[in-house]
Amino acid sequence: MTRIVVIGNGMVGYKFCEKLRASAPASDFKVTVFGEEPWPAYDRVHLSAYFSGATADDLLLAPRSWYEEKDIDLRTNELIVAIDRDQKTVRSHTGVETSYDKLVLATGSGAFVPPVNGVEKKGVFVYRSLEDLDAIIDFGKKNAKSAAVMGGGLLGLEAAKAVMDMGLDTHVIEFAPRLMPRQLDEAGAAILKAKLEALGIGIHLSKNTKQITGNGKLTGLDFADGSRLAVDMLVISAGIRPRDELAKGCGLATAPRGGLVVNEFLQSREDKDIFAIGEVASYQEMVYGLVAPGYEMASQVANQLCGKEVRPFLGFDMSTKLKLIGVDVASFGDPFGEAEPSTSIVYENKTRGIYKRINVSKDGKRLLGGVLVGDAAAYGILLQMTQNKMPLPPDPEDLILGARGGKEPAGAGVESLPDEAQICSCENVSKGAISNLIKIDGISKVDEIKSCTGAGTGCGGCMPMVNDLLKQQLKAMGKQVKNVLCEHFEYSRQELLDLVKVKKIKTYDELLNRVGKGDGCEVCKPAVASILASTWNELIVKQDSIQDTNDRYLANIQKGGTYSVVPRIPGGEITPEKLIVIGEVAKKYKLYTKVTGGQRIDLFGARVDQLPDIWEELIHAGFESGHAYGKSLRTVKSCVGSTWCRYGVQDAVSFAIQVEERYRGLRSPHKLKGAVSGCIRECAEAQSKDFGIIATEKGWNLYVCGNGGSKPQHAKLLVTDVDSATCLKYIDRFLMFYIRTAEPLTRTATWLNKLEGGLEYLRDVVVNDSLGIGEELEREMAFMIQTYACEWKEVVNNPELRAKFRHFVNDTSGDPTVSFQEMRGQKIPAS
Amino acid sequence: MTTKLEMYKTADNSKITTWFKAAPVSALPENGGACIKYKDLQIAIYKFSRRNEWYACQNLCPHKMQMALSRGMIGSEGDEPKVACPFHKKTFSLKSGQNLNGDCAAIATYPVKVEEGYVYVGFED
Ligand SMILES: Cc1cc2nc3c(=O)[nH]c(=O)nc-3n(C[C@H](O)[C@H](O)[C@H](O)COP(=O)(O)OP(=O)(O)OC[C@H]3O[C@@H](n4cnc5c(N)ncnc54)[C@H](O)[C@@H]3O)c2cc1C
Ligand code: SF4
Ligand code: SF4
Ligand code: FES
């Protein structure tokens, strides 16, 4: 039995153990692992997740029991202090000696702390281990309002985001004249700087820190140019220093910039029984500060020891994507186009904060590398094209601009990748491996691909490509990529709607029993709830536990767990008396009030147990539910129209009220908004609504499928100059057709974009009745209108339903954690 | 905020010292959840009527520290019973407490038993 000693239980040391135990029986090797830290190896790459609530346990790569199961002798809290190469032993700080046949150094690296006066002061930290983070969090909470991060590289920016999230005023200090100098060119770095400044991070470039000031505890930094910055805390992230002290101590060669010198088999030059892997290894003067190359080294050494075929380690791609900061940044291949003569193509959009650059070989045939800031969606595929030397499309600029004129983007899909292309670099999984899994093993779920290959379990950056690959493979195999709702129903929303109608199914449970499986989930429950509501129009609170929380409590949940109340104000018209009632109710229950974009008034900060009482008063004064909580009709906004406005040609307010009251409470795949303008000047912004009506001299123009929100889209003109009755008929048909055919949570704009045949087809169905379903759609809508009832009225008058509105079932008190603070004379959730 | 999270520790069925009589079975919705108060803790209890199983966990969602899990929709992923937070639909296993669709911290879970029409939640005090 060969005795193997591993020094260092970090990410790479762990990976080595995993690979070794996976490739050979445990009886072949006796494995002892020494780790200086108190816990077993954890996921350092996601260290920053610690700030957002992940615990040390969550970050562990494997629990202690794993080492026991695998028969690995793990000694945490033990620092190795010396290697004796003659005796072939290592000695720990407690004096214990352990013999080895093969020794693997996986000691990683430590933060590099530049020799600046004052680094020993209180309040100065590095960012490397869980213990560092504990110290930062502890200090930051108690003693700091502001913090600086020294180092504007990949890690420094990650650290900056983390301290900013702690609520500290944050600054980044960089020695070079630009951020991420090793990955970004000047223009890209400038865009990144602007974006980070917009997030509230102060960026200070070309700053050489002369000394750290303060008496015992730091108070600020002095720079060589005479300027200074006052801060309460400093996190140093100025690079890494391999932990090669053991190697030096036993006469093994180390590189000038640190790291144990290894050959392409990761052996030390002087001693073939000593290997180095991960950040402590220096191959051709290069230390690889990323996990992917470390993992590659770990499997190479494990394979060698097991006598398996090995590929020599000849360097590794250092392309990276910055995670976390809230700004997409990526750099791949040769970002500066310096390694060989090349031409670069640059796209820059300062207002949108996007910069993309690709470097193409002189002959225009190959992609050499590039930089993406602001939009790194293409990172995965561009990296693959670079690594696999794939032929470029005739117009390489398409790669960063997207194809124009409706062409498919040239050669930019996963299907164009060769089988050897590495999809997941953290776990080294090739396209071929994933394709085979799908083709030969019949795997059809992303989760299974993840668990079989490990792809996507590291940094997760390859998941979009894995998804695309799965879709494309299934399609190539002739398997219909069916739009199923979720794992509980093998049907699309439209198919389920038909089943509900045909089989006359009225409850979720019945549908699940008859055509589904399992217990349902948060995807199918609300989708089916919406289908049932827009088919039978029964009171939704009867099946309250399948509703989204907003529909369950008939109010919108807000930060802190309170709800907001929105009474309907059709067309935005309200009498002074009713306005006073809203004011009185808000005052009585101490609610925050705000006028919404839909011309009504939102009352915030009601506890769940207060909702029925508040509504009782509102209903008593003649209000009804505004359905602000539902995927249903919200408002029909209006301008004042011909009654008051000197330009108006029709009475917009009256028509808006009529329309809003017609469709109030109508459940649909997503929320619906409408508007009516009294003339062509369009003061009600009808063209940004799901249905918008604009008055003409002769009647109304009807627009459909507009959208505000994150991707605004103008509504399209469906018909012109129709009278009121015809206009309503077409809206009836349009809405019902949408409700029947749209996927869950799809707004009308997206639905139309995906509808085959587009607007022409929609007009055929709605206006020309090409499917012959016009009357049926109108009948269905008429049923909805007749069966409408105000949900809140029913709840207020029904003691059983009312009883559901409480926080605790075993105590009448409200949620004691709800608390508020004041702002401009009103309350807001306490932060 | 973290101190609030730290109040919740998974209780192991074999180490229960207190079975807290929480509420009559009829107070809980079918296939849904409700919140109970136990000392300073807020505990979500779920009744999986379809499987005739009960689960309990902390009411506090570790994602954005919202007291909300009892108002979440329940369901299953494969065989794993789960709850989805109403705020951002993070889902958690009600067996292991693990976050199933992200890397949030795990939630604490508590054993539940039903006797003579009452639901009891177990704590290791
Ligand atoms: C905040 C942060 C974010 C990062 N993000 C990314 C990223 O997005 N992508 C990426 O690819 N990489 C990232 N990295 C880098 C990545 O974490 C490292 O490349 C990887 O952890 C290296 O693994 P390792 O095992 O070589 O070293 P380490 O993980 O540092 O492990 C070495 C271990 O050995 C122990 N040790 C050292 N000397 C001794 C001794 N004498 N005796 C006993 N034990 C000893 C150390 O205490 C340590 O636990 C990040 C790093 C940090 C700090
Ligand atoms: S849209 Fe026309 S009618 Fe309405 S307010 Fe504007 S100008 Fe007046
Ligand atoms: S724009 Fe964003 S922050 Fe404002 S109400 Fe809508 S979701 Fe909330
Ligand atoms: S607070 Fe629960 S998912 Fe965000």
Side-chain angles (χ1 to χ4, degrees):
Chain A
M1 182 142 77
T2 314
R3 291 166 302 176
I4 295 182
V5 167
V6 183
I7 310 179
N9 185 223
M11 298 190 76
V12 175
Y14 164 76
K15 181 59 69 175
F16 170 78
C17 295
E18 183 197 305
K19 292 283 175 194
L20 188 73
R21 280 310 190 218
S23 335
S27 54
D28 288 3
F29 300 101
K30 175 171 161 34
V31 183
T32 313
V33 181
F34 292 92
E36 169 201 16
E37 297 190 67
W39 19 65
Y42 52 88
D43 185 352
R44 206 178 296 286
V45 169
H46 292 107
L47 196 59
S48 300
Y50 200 56
F51 281 103
S52 41
T55 61
D57 274 355
D58 296 335
L59 290 175
L60 289 191
L61 295 172
R64 260 175 215 283
S65 55
W66 180 86
Y67 296 86
E68 276 159 34
E69 272 161 38
K70 298 284 168 188
D71 202 8
I72 293 170
D73 186 3
L74 173 65
R75 316 249 187 104
T76 48
N77 257 327
E78 254 185 277
L79 174 75
I80 296 296
V81 291
I83 301 172
D84 183 336
R85 285 168 48 207
D86 296 332
Q87 299 295 321
K88 290 198 142 185
T89 57
V90 297
R91 193 173 78 245
S92 82
H93 73 297
T94 56
V96 178
E97 300 206 342
T98 311
S99 303
Y100 65 82
D101 299 312
K102 304 277 178 194
L103 181 64
V104 179
L105 255 75
T107 49
S109 55
F112 166 66
V113 178
V116 175
N117 272 340
V119 288
E120 73 294 340
K121 289 200 200 312
K122 246 185 97 186
V124 181
F125 301 93
V126 297
Y127 197 80
R128 176 79 197 175
S129 66
L130 281 172
E131 282 165 318
D132 297 335
L133 264 65
D134 275 333
I136 292 175
I137 293 173
D138 189 52
F139 187 88
K141 266 198 198 145
K142 290 190 208 140
N143 305 317
K145 290 217 159 56
S146 60
V149 174
M150 187 188 289
L154 215 53
L155 275 184
L157 295 181
E158 195 177 317
K161 175 69 167 30
V163 290
M164 186 181 80
D165 288 347
M166 282 171 66
L168 305 185
D169 182 24
T170 305
H171 299 267
V172 172
I173 319 279
E174 171 59 48
F175 178 74
R178 61 173 192 266
L179 290 172
M180 294 180 69
R182 293 205 294 172
Q183 288 90 5
L184 295 185
D185 60 8
E186 205 141 312
I191 297 253
L192 177 61
K193 173 168 182 271
K195 288 218 151 189
L196 294 181
E197 283 170 342
L199 288 175
I201 300 180
I203 309 283
H204 311 265
L205 302 175
S206 304
K207 291 285 178 202
N208 183 358
T209 310
K210 213 174 63 192
Q211 68 168 349
I212 296 168
T213 57
N215 185 6
K217 175 184 171 303
L218 103 153
T219 51
L221 307 172
D222 281 351
F223 304 112
D225 61 6
S227 60
R228 55 168 327 202
L229 179 72
V231 283
D232 309 324
M233 182 163 115
L234 174 68
V235 178
I236 297 184
S237 176
I240 56 173
R241 193 33 65 92
R243 304 256 323 243
D244 57 7
E245 60 272 10
L246 288 173
K248 283 197 184 116
C250 66
L252 298 176
T254 54
R257 286 197 290 163
L260 169 59
V261 176
V262 293
N263 63 16
E264 66 272 32
F265 296 105
L266 304 153
Q267 279 160 325
S268 72
R269 244 183 352 216
E270 296 79 6
D271 193 329
K272 63 173 186 7
D273 289 331
I274 299 186
F275 297 86
I277 56 179
E279 285 187 350
V280 71
S282 170
Y283 174 71
Q284 293 191 342
E285 304 254 309
M286 173 92 179
V287 167
Y288 293 86
L290 294 174
V291 284
Y295 281 4
E296 174 70 16
M297 296 179 195
S299 14
Q300 290 309 339
V301 174
N303 284 346
Q304 279 182 61
L305 295 175
C306 298
K308 282 197 186 168
E309 185 202 354
V310 271
R311 268 178 289 144
F313 181 89
L314 297 174
F316 206 90
D317 187 80
M318 292 293 278
S319 305
T320 36
K321 198 169 162 189
L322 181 60
K323 52 186 193 299
L324 263 175
I325 193 87
V327 180
D328 267 7
V329 179
S331 123
F332 58 96
D334 172 12
F336 309 119
E338 285 164 347
E340 64 174 276
S342 63
T343 350
S344 17
I345 302 171
V346 171
Y347 167 78
E348 185 170 2
N349 184 331
K350 284 219 173 93
T351 33
R352 289 181 54 213
I354 295 179
Y355 173 81
K356 301 183 191 181
R357 160 181 178 166
I358 50 174
N359 308 316
V360 177
S361 63
K362 264 278 173 269
D363 59 8
K365 293 217 169 96
R366 281 173 306 120
L367 187 58
L368 302 174
V371 172
L372 304 169
V373 180
D375 170 14
Y379 169 71
I381 205 81
L382 293 179
L383 174 63
Q384 293 300 331
M385 298 190 79
T386 310
Q387 288 181 342
N388 296 294
K389 305 199 166 40
M390 286 162 53
L392 290 183
D395 301 311
E397 60 270 26
D398 287 358
L399 293 174
I400 46 174
L401 299 179
R404 284 136 298 154
K407 292 182 286 176
E408 278 289 297
V414 277
E415 55 272 26
S416 54
L417 295 177
D419 270 353
E420 311 75 65
Q422 191 190 42
I423 300 286
C424 171
S425 58
C426 294
E427 293 285 331
N428 189 11
V429 185
S430 68
K431 172 180 170 188
I434 299 178
S435 304
N436 283 342
L437 215 53
I438 304 167
K439 275 194 290 212
I440 299 166
D441 304 321
I443 274 181
S444 61
K445 294 218 175 69
V446 172
D447 288 344
E448 292 171 321
I449 297 181
K450 277 171 97 169
S451 59
C452 291
T453 62
T457 56
C459 71
C462 61
M463 283 320 290
M465 275 215 284
V466 173
N467 274 318
D468 280 357
L469 185 56
L470 177 64
K471 258 198 219 132
Q472 178 248 328
Q473 278 292 346
L474 290 177
K475 209 166 169 185
M477 287 157 64
K479 278 202 193 162
Q480 203 189 351
V481 195
K482 210 175 136 181
N483 239 339
V484 302
L485 208 53
C486 65
E487 68 176 78
H488 306 105
F489 291 100
E490 297 274 318
Y491 299 97
S492 68
R493 181 179 179 280
Q494 189 173 353
E495 288 168 334
L496 278 181
L497 189 131
D498 290 339
L499 283 169
V500 162
K501 265 193 203 148
V502 174
K503 298 189 191 254
K504 303 218 177 332
I505 294 176
K506 298 217 168 168
T507 66
Y508 174 82
D509 272 334
E510 192 186 345
L511 187 68
L512 190 60
N513 288 341
R514 290 176 67 173
V515 304
K517 59 169 189 277
D519 301 298
C521 68
E522 71 286 358
V523 174
C524 58
K525 284 182 171 178
V528 171
S530 157
I531 291 173
L532 293 172
S534 37
T535 311
W536 309 119
N537 212 13
E538 285 179 355
L539 192 62
I540 60 164
V541 275
K542 280 195 186 153
Q543 296 184 59
D544 62 343
S545 63
I546 61 166
Q547 313 289 345
D548 259 319
T549 188
N550 285 355
D551 268 332
R552 182 166 174 191
Y553 294 104
L554 304 176
N556 294 48
I557 196 164
Q558 307 288 1
K559 261 194 193 163
T562 61
Y563 287 86
S564 66
V565 168
V566 190
R568 184 169 298 291
I569 301 178
E573 183 187 77
I574 185 165
T575 60
E577 290 72 24
K578 281 180 124 177
L579 261 182
I580 289 169
V581 171
I582 292 189
E584 295 288 350
V585 168
K587 219 157 123 188
K588 174 163 172 195
Y589 292 92
K590 300 201 176 56
L591 304 174
Y592 167 97
T593 52
K594 185 175 187 309
V595 175
T596 71
Q599 300 186 335
R600 44 193 192 172
I601 298 168
D602 205 339
L603 313 172
F604 290 81
R607 288 194 322 262
V608 78
D609 53 293
Q610 294 177 318
L611 290 171
D613 298 342
I614 293 172
W615 273 106
E616 185 160 21
E617 297 194 21
L618 290 171
I619 284 168
H620 184 73
F623 284 104
E624 57 178 9
S625 168
H627 297 95
Y629 44 81
K631 301 292 177 225
S632 58
L633 179 81
R634 296 287 167 85
T635 62
V636 178
K637 192 173 167 177
S638 71
C639 76
V640 76
S642 60
T643 46
W644 288 91
C645 176
R646 62 202 159 113
Y647 298 110
V649 293
Q650 305 281 351
D651 180 359
V653 181
S654 299
F655 199 41
I657 294 174
Q658 189 186 355
V659 175
E660 181 159 342
E661 288 184 339
R662 186 177 181 86
Y663 302 119
R664 65 189 163 185
L666 178 70
R667 302 278 153 165
S668 48
H670 210 304
K671 62 185 171 193
L672 289 170
K673 297 180 177 179
V676 183
S677 277
C679 83
I680 192 81
R681 287 171 189 74
E682 242 285 67
C683 296
E685 297 166 333
Q687 289 167 94
S688 64
K689 305 294 184 221
D690 296 281
F691 54 93
I693 302 164
I694 300 177
T696 66
E697 297 284 346
K698 300 187 198 124
W700 308 99
N701 284 351
L702 175 61
Y703 292 78
V704 292
C705 301
N707 200 168
S710 60
K711 271 200 197 129
Q713 185 169 322
H714 273 135
K716 299 203 162 76
L717 183 60
L718 190 72
V719 282
T720 47
D721 293 328
V722 289
D723 60 29
S724 301
T726 314
C727 188
L728 290 177
K729 178 170 94 178
Y730 290 156
I731 303 177
D732 282 0
R733 291 180 178 185
F734 159 68
L735 289 178
M736 230 43 218
F737 187 52
Y738 159 69
I739 288 171
R740 270 196 185 184
T741 57
E743 289 302 317
L745 301 182
T746 309
R747 290 289 299 266
T748 54
T750 319
W751 168 71
L752 180 65
N753 296 345
K754 289 191 185 156
L755 195 67
E756 234 168 278
L759 181 70
E760 286 308 308
Y761 176 72
L762 182 62
R763 188 179 291 125
D764 265 353
V765 174
V766 171
V767 180
N768 309 329
D769 197 10
S770 60
L771 298 179
I773 54 170
E775 272 180 35
E776 193 182 323
L777 295 173
E778 287 166 49
R779 256 201 321 276
E780 285 174 356
M781 186 61 86
F783 172 77
M784 289 295 158
I785 297 166
Q786 279 157 20
T787 51
Y788 165 79
C790 170
E791 292 149 358
W792 266 114
K793 198 166 186 176
E794 309 243 353
V795 171
V796 164
N797 295 326
N798 181 332
E800 207 179 301
L801 293 177
R802 249 183 118 133
K804 296 185 177 192
F805 289 78
R806 56 193 287 179
H807 186 70
F808 294 117
V809 289
N810 65 339
D811 195 306
T812 49
S813 61
D815 181 353
T817 64
V818 167
S819 62
F820 300 101
Q821 66 194 58
E822 213 199 75
M823 195 186 217
R824 290 184 293 277
Q826 294 204 68
K827 71 176 184 186
I828 57 166
S831 59
Chain B
M1 285 281 207
T2 34
T3 49
K4 257 208 272 169
L5 251 189
E6 282 156 17
M7 290 163 48
Y8 298 93
K9 293 261 155 52
T10 292
D12 185 342
N13 213 346
S14 60
K15 297 193 197 131
I16 297 307
T17 52
T18 311
W19 281 103
F20 176 65
K21 190 174 184 179
V25 167
S26 59
L28 280 112
E30 303 297 320
N31 292 306
C35 181
I36 61 138
K37 185 173 160 75
Y38 171 67
K39 295 187 177 166
D40 280 343
L41 302 182
Q42 296 198 20
I43 304 294
I45 307 185
Y46 306 98
K47 177 179 183 184
F48 280 68
S49 323
R50 302 178 61 83
R51 315 170 159 211
N52 198 20
E53 286 171 13
W54 293 79
Y55 295 94
C57 67
Q58 65 191 52
N59 191 31
L60 182 63
C61 177
H63 178 228
K64 296 281 178 193
M65 305 300 157
Q66 301 288 341
M67 273 297 175
L69 292 178
S70 61
R71 301 180 204 170
M73 273 178 278
I74 57 170
S76 60
E77 185 168 316
D79 274 338
E80 199 78 5
K82 66 170 179 177
V83 62
C85 176
F87 273 82
H88 314 95
K89 298 273 161 70
K90 297 279 179 196
T91 54
F92 299 89
S93 161
L94 289 171
K95 283 198 167 140
S96 67
Q98 295 296 328
N99 178 202
L100 300 170
N101 59 353
D103 41 23
C104 286
I107 54 171
T109 58
Y110 302 84
V112 182
K113 67 177 183 185
V114 174
E115 273 169 17
E116 291 171 358
Y118 270 84
V119 193
Y120 295 77
V121 182
F123 295 94
E124 296 174 25
D125 281 321

